[in-house]
Amino acid sequence: MSVVLGDKFRFAAEAGEPGPLCRVDLWLAGKWLTCDDNMAYVPQFRRDVLDTAAWLRSGEGSPLPFAGLSAEATHRRLMQRAGDDDESEADYQLRGRFRVLLWGPTTDNVTAYLFRVEDRLVITLSFGREEHLLSHPEDAGVVFVVEIPAEEFVGILEGIAAALDAS
């Protein structure tokens, strides 16, 4: 029996039959994130999801770092020199402060950033894997943005970790 939590047009997760490897599908802003690899190694994936939930529950998460820039523009600015030889250590550390959904191979096809605005989260996401963009050209260059109450997002994370606990 699979478990579905959340709203696919904000954030949702679906876990398949429990086991050491389990199908986990994630959606953000109506986009299926785990389209390239939806088989999660449960011990690692569950731990990473719980770490994110605990981090957010403790009040962590920073506001948008650039005054006057939208979440989409901020995402693009953070990605500007990502991985380039001339990327400064300060830029690398700044980007790292906002990265989210770092849950192993299941989510390594996306780059996501999280910004906290009081009790709400603004999450931005872009697809970067060339194979994905070739089969989904409509995603090329697009930054998807969603706003969700922090409590709702954390609840979904804790719910998916509970569903995977049976594994």
Side-chain angles (χ1 to χ4, degrees):
M1 176 174 89
S2 67
V3 174
V4 181
L5 301 158
D7 172 354
K8 291 180 182 179
F9 291 97
R10 284 198 303 217
F11 180 76
E14 179 178 352
E17 293 296 319
L21 283 177
C22 179
R23 179 184 55 81
V24 176
D25 289 303
L26 301 171
W27 292 267
L28 185 100
K31 295 303 292 185
W32 181 29
L33 307 186
T34 52
C35 54
D36 293 342
D37 179 3
N38 67 348
M39 292 304 291
Y41 175 63
V42 171
Q44 169 267 314
F45 187 85
R46 185 175 181 279
R47 181 193 65 238
D48 291 349
V49 167
L50 282 173
D51 286 350
T52 301
W55 179 73
L56 289 168
R57 201 166 279 295
S58 73
E60 292 294 330
S62 299
L64 289 159
F66 308 116
L69 283 187
S70 68
E72 178 184 351
T74 297
H75 182 102
R76 291 182 192 288
R77 183 166 175 186
L78 290 170
M79 292 295 298
Q80 213 164 22
R81 289 200 321 262
D84 289 351
D85 290 338
D86 66 341
E87 180 182 25
S88 71
E89 181 66 25
D91 286 344
Y92 175 79
Q93 288 180 358
L94 179 65
R95 262 187 323 106
R97 204 169 103 205
F98 299 99
R99 284 294 307 266
V100 70
L101 306 182
L102 298 169
W103 301 336
T106 308
T107 57
D108 69 1
N109 62 321
V110 298
T111 298
Y113 297 110
L114 179 144
F115 312 99
R116 187 182 282 269
V117 181
E118 296 172 12
D119 62 345
R120 302 187 68 70
L121 305 174
V122 177
I123 304 170
T124 63
L125 173 118
S126 62
F127 289 91
R129 190 174 283 157
E130 188 173 335
E131 301 85 39
H132 174 87
L133 298 175
L134 287 172
S135 59
H136 299 279
E138 70 278 9
D139 293 342
V142 178
V143 175
F144 300 93
V145 180
V146 70
E147 188 172 318
I148 185 170
E151 198 62 34
E152 179 181 336
F153 186 71
V154 169
I156 294 167
L157 297 183
E158 291 173 343
I160 202 68
L164 293 173
D165 194 30
S167 302

